[in-house]
Amino acid sequence: MNSTNDSAAGGRVPVFVLAGGKSARFGSDKARAVWRGKALLVHVAERLGPVASELTVIAECAGNYEDLGLRTIGDREPGLGPVGGLVTALLQGHERFVLAACDFAEVEAAWVATLLAADRAGATATAFRDDRWQPMPGVYHARIGAFVEGAASMQAVLTRAGATAVACPAGWPVRAGFNTPGELRERE
């Protein structure tokens, strides 16, 4: 495990932003899609900066987003979706970290602060939940690794792990990310 106290700097923790998807429904690299003048990934990085002790993008290949000024590591097993990204984050050796999605440009640092405040000793993860888990952003602990093997979705991981559920905050969007270019235009 990382020997540093991952939550020492004023409640700040390592943040991993997943940007390794194929963007099949989107038709191009979703992380680079421009919304309100910036790449979606840049919006996420800027918004989560206040809670990040360090911010790392997990992409299909290392270096994919370094031209945007963002440290980028390669997904250990590309093509496994968010569960594969979680595994890659776990391999970085932090006891506790935040996992976020590259297309959730409306994410709020205050929401992550709420999750961090609700996170308790011994937890596997803490995430928002309405009628289903909202896994990103979420606070994850190294011990969640015991629940990942064979899981097909983040829903399955969080359920198996008995994650701590927090009600979605005021202002939580109906759609937490962007799946098509049309959605970008609709929400401009």
Side-chain angles (χ1 to χ4, degrees), residues 75 77-85 152:
D75 204 339
E77 295 184 48
L80 294 181
V83 174

Side-chain angles (χ1 to χ4, degrees), residues 15-21 23 29-31 40-41 44 48 55-60 65 72-73 75 80-90 97-104 135-136 140 154:
V15 172
F16 293 94
V17 181
L18 303 186
S23 301
D29 185 352
K30 188 189 305 189
L40 290 174
L41 180 57
V44 174
L48 295 183
L55 190 134
T56 304
V57 179
I58 299 174
E60 186 176 16
Y65 300 104
T72 307
I73 62 174
D75 204 339
L80 294 181
V83 174
L86 172 59
V87 169
T88 300
L90 285 166
F97 57 90
V98 168
L99 200 63
C102 72
D103 66 335
F104 194 176
M136 290 181 269
Y140 293 84
M154 293 297 286

